[in-house]
Amino acid sequence: MYDVTIIGAGASGVMCALALKEKNKNLKVLLLEKNDKLGKKLSITGNGRCNLGNINTDISNFNSDSNLSDFKNVLEVDNFDFLNVLDNTDDVESYYDYLIRCGVLITKEKDYLYPYSMQAITVCKSFERCLNCLNIDIKYNYDVLKVSKNKDVFTINDDIKSKVVVVATGGKSYPKTGSTGFGYNVLKSFGHTITDLYPSLTKLKTNYKYIKDLQGVRVNAKTSLSVNEKIERKEEGQVQFTSDALSGICIFNLSRNVKKYLNQNKTVKIIMNLVPDYSGLELQSYINYFPSYKLQDALSCIINNKLAKVITKELKLDNKLVKELTKNELEEICFNVKNMSFNITDTGDFNTAQVTSGGAPLNEFTKNLESTKCKGLYAIGEVLDVDGKCGGYNLSWAFTSALIVSDGINKCFK
């Protein structure tokens, strides 16, 4: 009989196990992992560099169909800063403290936090060593098929007994790493509802006529998400063009609800301001400095040459000299530079999406993330209806939701 069994040895599951055992050496803790090693998804985050968190933990960087403000108020904090809200005692620690004690020194790059080694593999290896040192049992290649409860005891696959179960299975993104969405089924079997699930932090596919001509282009732009001709969200940063889609952090952060909008037959567009630092009139004035240039060449003085080529081609002005442009044509070209529009037809799927949007609603859990449907059942990380922007926010939620749960469980075993 185990005191606590954690399903999933990813970022949240491992952190939960370490925090439980560190504060209560007598707890019998078991980690179950369907892969042959822990942290398979963790090992590829941040392009293998492992973006562990972000110094900006404001609530605006997180998304949910649940009311995050209500959840924040339950935690009695001034910000969505999960790093310092586990309880009101003097020994509250952030996940940074745990990482450092595990042998993961942290460094900062802009607002992003990384292991000093800049290698995700060192984080995973450090976790393995700490699990061994704390005598935490871990079963690899173990596929959980069902979880049930009789009286006060949970049974997993008819062979593991436990007083407490923590669902740390992740969402549906990157299923090759083991995130198949099974945790949602576990929670549903105990009466929880699961919101609609969509791929998030993913590319946006477009039917833009000249998209293949832009493959490989990278540009910094102010970018807006338009839904039925209304601007829903804005982001600023680098956009990357592929043969059939828009990509890059800027696009990923706009992608969260796009699949839902498309399923509702709404018109979705991405609108880019390619020259946000200059007004349309300033652009017109600059282009007019080069009357004998072809328009495409004059425009190439301002923006990427491939972009200049497709914009002038789309407006059928590619063969005109600047001095041949009418006032309306010059205004039109500058408008398009500052409002380049891409019709969005689809998103990337769960195979390429970084996270899952949706999950188990927060209002079905206590402030310690214990199920209100079944005592002793907890959920952490991506299986819950919380997801963050690019920049370490999702790992931050994984780690700190694990600490919230470990704190609640340890209080029960005192």
Side-chain angles (χ1 to χ4, degrees), residues 252-376:
F252 289 171
N253 286 337
L254 293 173
S255 69
R256 185 180 192 268
N257 292 313
V258 169
K259 190 72 171 179
K260 178 172 68 174
Y261 294 142
L262 292 172
N263 288 347
Q264 295 169 347
N265 294 316
K266 293 182 178 180
T267 300
V268 180
K269 295 179 182 178
I270 289 292
I271 301 172
M272 292 183 206
N273 184 347
L274 301 173
V275 190
D277 297 323
Y278 294 91
S279 70
L281 288 175
E282 288 173 319
L283 291 182
Q284 291 178 44
S285 178
Y286 188 74
I287 291 171
N288 278 326
Y289 282 143
F290 310 101
S292 61
Y293 281 26
K294 274 190 172 183
L295 174 60
Q296 178 186 326
D297 294 334
L299 208 54
S300 295
C301 296
I302 304 169
I303 61 175
N304 180 279
N305 182 60
K306 287 185 177 181
L307 281 166
K309 185 175 181 179
V310 300
I311 291 175
T312 54
K313 187 188 294 186
E314 186 175 29
L315 296 175
K316 295 182 173 55
L317 297 173
D318 46 322
N319 292 318
K320 276 200 170 187
L321 301 179
V322 170
K323 64 185 177 183
E324 296 172 341
L325 295 174
T326 67
K327 183 176 184 294
N328 286 340
E329 286 173 337
L330 184 57
E331 288 176 352
E332 185 177 23
I333 196 73
C334 292
F335 177 85
N336 277 272
V337 169
K338 294 186 68 65
N339 296 274
M340 193 174 185
S341 181
F342 298 85
N343 186 56
I344 302 303
T345 58
D346 203 356
T347 70
D349 58 19
F350 284 114
N351 291 310
T352 57
Q354 292 185 21
V355 297
T356 305
S357 82
L362 290 175
N363 61 9
E364 295 182 2
F365 295 84
T366 69
K367 68 177 182 179
N368 292 119
L369 297 176
E370 182 179 16
S371 167
T372 58
K373 311 286 184 180
C374 177
K375 188 173 178 58

Side-chain angles (χ1 to χ4, degrees), residues 9-12 14-15 18 37-46 48-53 95-96 98-107 113-132 140 395-396 398-399:
S12 61
V14 171
M15 179 61 72
L18 293 174
K37 57 185 176 182
L38 63 80
K40 196 167 183 180
K41 186 175 179 181
L42 179 65
S43 67
I44 62 175
T45 59
R49 298 170 69 201
C50 200
N51 187 184
L52 292 167
Y95 75 81
Y96 304 133
Y98 284 90
L99 289 174
I100 290 169
R101 286 202 296 278
C102 285
V104 182
L105 192 61
I106 295 171
T107 187
L113 300 169
Y114 292 96
Y116 209 87
S117 66
M118 288 293 180
Q119 288 185 300
I121 188 64
T122 62
V123 179
C124 295
K125 291 298 183 184
S126 294
F127 281 162
E128 286 179 3
R129 287 189 286 268
C130 285
L131 290 170
N132 289 332
Y140 292 109
L395 265 185
S396 179
F399 287 138

Side-chain angles (χ1 to χ4, degrees), residues 160-299:
I160 295 174
K161 305 289 185 182
S162 185
K163 297 175 185 176
V164 170
V165 165
V166 180
V167 179
T169 53
K172 295 182 70 175
S173 59
Y174 292 147
K176 289 182 180 178
T177 65
S179 297
T180 62
F182 174 74
Y184 301 123
N185 295 333
V186 173
L187 294 175
K188 283 196 287 188
S189 71
F190 286 98
H192 283 282
T193 55
I194 302 297
T195 70
D196 291 335
L197 305 172
Y198 299 101
S200 186
L201 299 188
T202 186
K203 64 183 179 181
L204 298 180
K205 295 183 179 181
T206 178
N207 58 3
Y208 183 67
K209 185 176 180 179
Y210 301 107
I211 187 64
K212 288 185 179 179
D213 296 332
L214 295 174
Q215 184 175 0
V217 171
R218 296 174 181 236
V219 61
N220 290 320
K222 282 190 175 179
T223 308
S224 301
L225 175 69
S226 169
V227 181
N228 284 350
E229 307 303 324
K230 178 183 177 183
I231 301 300
E232 292 290 330
R233 295 185 66 175
K234 296 181 178 181
E235 286 285 333
E236 185 171 2
Q238 188 178 88
V239 177
Q240 301 171 20
F241 295 86
T242 72
S243 61
D244 66 346
L246 308 176
S247 187
I249 291 176
C250 186
I251 296 299
F252 289 171
N253 286 337
L254 293 173
S255 69
R256 185 180 192 268
N257 292 313
V258 169
K259 190 72 171 179
K260 178 172 68 174
Y261 294 142
L262 292 172
N263 288 347
Q264 295 169 347
N265 294 316
K266 293 182 178 180
T267 300
V268 180
K269 295 179 182 178
I270 289 292
I271 301 172
M272 292 183 206
N273 184 347
L274 301 173
V275 190
D277 297 323
Y278 294 91
S279 70
L281 288 175
E282 288 173 319
L283 291 182
Q284 291 178 44
S285 178
Y286 188 74
I287 291 171
N288 278 326
Y289 282 143
F290 310 101
S292 61
Y293 281 26
K294 274 190 172 183
L295 174 60
Q296 178 186 326
D297 294 334
L299 208 54

Side-chain angles (χ1 to χ4, degrees), residues 34-190:
K34 70 185 301 179
N35 293 311
D36 59 359
K37 57 185 176 182
L38 63 80
K40 196 167 183 180
K41 186 175 179 181
L42 179 65
S43 67
I44 62 175
T45 59
N47 291 321
R49 298 170 69 201
C50 200
N51 187 184
L52 292 167
N54 197 293
I55 63 172
N56 179 6
T57 54
D58 187 81
I59 191 172
S60 63
N61 295 303
F62 296 86
N63 305 294
S64 179
D65 289 333
S66 304
N67 191 316
L68 292 181
S69 294
D70 285 352
F71 185 61
K72 177 193 71 173
N73 292 335
V74 168
L75 293 172
E76 298 176 347
V77 292
D78 296 328
N79 204 335
F80 203 56
D81 186 353
F82 293 107
L83 311 182
N84 302 296
V85 298
L86 305 189
D87 56 28
N88 294 319
T89 64
D90 293 330
D91 61 347
V92 175
E93 294 180 293
S94 76
Y95 75 81
Y96 304 133
D97 300 301
Y98 284 90
L99 289 174
I100 290 169
R101 286 202 296 278
C102 285
V104 182
L105 192 61
I106 295 171
T107 187
K108 186 176 73 169
E109 187 176 283
K110 295 182 179 179
D111 289 344
Y112 299 168
L113 300 169
Y114 292 96
Y116 209 87
S117 66
M118 288 293 180
Q119 288 185 300
I121 188 64
T122 62
V123 179
C124 295
K125 291 298 183 184
S126 294
F127 281 162
E128 286 179 3
R129 287 189 286 268
C130 285
L131 290 170
N132 289 332
C133 288
L134 290 171
N135 295 314
I136 295 170
D137 292 342
I138 181 165
K139 289 183 182 286
Y140 292 109
N141 300 306
Y142 188 94
D143 199 4
V144 175
L145 301 176
K146 65 175 182 177
V147 181
S148 60
K149 186 181 183 185
N150 183 23
K151 295 182 180 178
D152 293 328
V153 177
F154 290 93
T155 302
I156 301 169
N157 286 1
D158 298 325
D159 64 335
I160 295 174
K161 305 289 185 182
S162 185
K163 297 175 185 176
V164 170
V165 165
V166 180
V167 179
T169 53
K172 295 182 70 175
S173 59
Y174 292 147
K176 289 182 180 178
T177 65
S179 297
T180 62
F182 174 74
Y184 301 123
N185 295 333
V186 173
L187 294 175
K188 283 196 287 188
S189 71
F190 286 98

